[in-house]
Amino acid sequence: MHEMAITQSVVQAVCERMGDAPVRRVCLEIGTLSGVVADSVRFCFDLVTEGTTLEGASLEIVQPTGLARCRDCGAEFALADLLVLCTCGSANRELLAGEELKIREVEVLA
Amino acid sequence: MCATCGCSGATSLEHHEHDHEHGHGHGHGHGHDHPETRTVTLEQAVLARNDALAELNRKWFAEHGILAVNLMSSPGAGKTTLLERTIRELGAELQVSVVEGDQETVLDADRIRTSGAPVVQINTGAGCHLDAQMLAGGLRTLDPPESSVVLIENVGNLVCPALFDLGEQARVVITSVTEGAEKPRKYPQMFRAADLVLLNKIDLLPYVDFDVAAFLDGVRRANPGAEVLQLSATTGDGIAGWYGWLRGRSASTSTLT
């Protein structure tokens, strides 16, 4: 259950970047291969934001899906999980998307 | 306050970059629909703070020629037994010291101390993993010597520790044959993060239903670059491979300074 620590990191980072400005909306990118469960972050968000400038803010989570390029044959293919091989049989792949774990933007009172 | 973008708190992280654009062109109304708010693009890694602290740890290890290895496994895979044997047989040669991570108790630290290595225990309480800040605090207490080896025993957990960079030079994942061969398929994130995978308790292979080939295939799917060594920390079978790996990594780390 690292989502609590992850959500605390979000709140800490937003507070550091935005100072005292009340935050109305937070948009996160959590890739489907990031190892972080978006629903758990949603669950933690209200608890963790209580008493901070983020209290009452809405939470949007964008979830990019997995995409990889095969280092052997060059094909690009979708990854539902980290075990999917290229159609050529190779596991040697470069992940292009799906591992995102970042704060995309916030909306604050002007 | 940050002079370029007007955001606050920009002084606390060195890597702060002015990569945000105040939301122009983001269709948020900008003084029309919601005149009271503004959108600020951050594009910042959620774990940026941990990553920055991990980089400081990594720099400190490099400056002191110290090899730091992050050992991760589920509870009961044999991390502490492996450490005890490694300290007894290699501790003096490589000047091994240990950072022990557990939610509670100093039981493992006591076992390591009895084996003869300096050790610091970090209790994470409710936390399910070590992070870079905890390690930095532990290192201040441990104060390992130049050109030595620091083995970090992470909290027993095959999920959370994979996400948190500690500033280590290498990640080792330990699985035992009593856990089942499907572990790499169930926890690919952890195996994907590994430089080395140790398959422990191979002395028990005759007594358990463990498909080594299926295990190796799972590791390859999750991480084709990971090296895999099979050993028994109890009997010592295959342990020479682990010692060889540690010696090699330690030698290349200490000569970098």
Side-chain angles (χ1 to χ4, degrees):
Chain A
M1 184 55 180
H2 48 274
E3 281 78 6
M4 185 61 92
I6 296 288
T7 314
Q8 281 168 336
S9 298
V10 169
V11 173
Q12 192 172 24
V14 170
C15 288
E16 280 178 1
R17 293 283 294 267
M18 305 314 301
D20 296 332
V23 179
R24 286 290 166 257
R25 184 176 62 88
V26 176
C27 180
L28 305 179
E29 249 178 70
I30 301 179
T32 54
L33 304 179
S34 68
V36 173
V37 180
D39 277 347
S40 297
V41 172
R42 287 193 188 93
F43 176 79
C44 294
F45 189 74
D46 286 346
L47 297 172
V48 172
T49 54
E50 202 176 302
T52 72
T53 53
L54 285 75
E55 185 168 340
S58 63
L59 176 64
E60 279 175 25
I61 299 179
V62 179
Q63 294 192 269
T65 52
L67 182 69
R69 181 185 294 121
C70 177
R71 288 202 178 97
D72 290 329
C73 77
E76 285 191 11
F77 58 102
L79 259 81
D81 58 50
L82 286 169
L83 301 171
V84 176
L85 301 180
C86 178
T87 49
C88 77
S90 173
N92 188 9
R93 78 235 144 171
E94 175 193 0
L95 276 188
L96 304 174
E99 288 196 301
E100 297 82 357
L101 183 57
K102 65 183 183 186
I103 308 165
R104 185 184 274 189
E105 63 183 29
V106 295
E107 190 175 333
V108 296
L109 286 184
Chain B
M1 180 177 284
C2 165
T4 304
C5 61
C7 71
S8 298
T11 54
S12 59
L13 283 178
E14 289 174 22
H15 67 280
H16 172 78
E17 291 170 2
H18 303 289
D19 53 353
H20 42 296
E21 302 164 357
H22 298 266
H24 299 296
H26 286 270
H28 61 279
H30 212 71
H32 307 294
D33 298 326
H34 302 287
E36 78 279 13
T37 66
R38 65 190 170 99
T39 300
V40 181
T41 305
L42 296 181
E43 293 291 339
Q44 175 176 324
V46 168
L47 293 175
R49 184 185 177 81
N50 183 73
D51 293 346
L53 292 170
E55 274 315 306
L56 292 179
N57 288 346
R58 189 168 283 116
K59 189 160 167 272
W60 188 86
F61 286 129
E63 285 168 358
H64 293 79
I66 294 172
L67 171 67
V69 180
N70 185 2
L71 299 162
M72 298 175 284
S73 80
S74 45
K79 285 193 300 298
T80 311
T81 303
L82 178 69
L83 284 181
E84 286 175 314
R85 188 173 194 115
T86 305
I87 290 161
R88 280 202 310 273
E89 299 183 342
L90 213 60
E93 178 191 334
L94 295 184
Q95 298 188 80
V96 173
S97 56
V98 174
V99 176
E100 271 291 335
D102 275 306
Q103 286 199 321
E104 301 291 349
T105 81
V106 293
L107 293 173
D108 280 358
D110 290 343
R111 283 174 63 182
I112 297 300
R113 199 173 290 113
T114 305
S115 304
V119 59
V120 60
Q121 176 83 49
I122 300 171
N123 283 134
T124 58
C128 47
H129 57 268
L130 292 177
D131 64 30
Q133 186 168 16
M134 293 178 201
L135 177 62
L139 289 173
R140 278 193 290 275
T141 307
L142 191 64
D143 194 22
E146 303 266 325
S147 303
S148 64
V149 173
V150 175
L151 299 179
I152 304 155
E153 184 177 341
N154 217 312
V155 179
N157 180 338
L158 274 182
V159 183
C160 312
L163 280 174
F164 293 85
D165 185 7
L166 302 179
E168 73 278 42
Q169 287 99 332
R171 292 177 155 204
V172 177
V173 174
I174 304 163
T175 312
S176 59
V177 302
T178 51
E179 294 172 67
E182 75 289 353
K183 282 289 178 291
R185 293 169 182 268
K186 286 184 173 175
Y187 303 97
Q189 206 83 32
M190 177 58 80
F191 285 85
R192 186 172 140 68
D195 297 291
L196 173 68
V197 175
L198 298 179
L199 180 60
N200 192 20
K201 307 188 189 180
I202 55 166
D203 54 311
L204 300 179
L205 274 174
Y207 312 106
V208 294
D209 183 20
F210 185 92
D211 186 338
V212 174
F215 175 81
L216 296 175
D217 182 60
V219 173
R220 184 185 72 89
R221 280 172 176 264
N223 183 353
E227 191 178 343
V228 183
L229 295 172
Q230 302 181 37
L231 55 83
S232 166
T234 304
T235 65
D237 286 348
I239 201 96
W242 159 239
Y243 292 166
W245 184 90
L246 261 185
R247 282 194 184 99
R249 294 297 294 249
S250 174
S252 58
T253 305
S254 56
T255 53
L256 287 177
T257 54

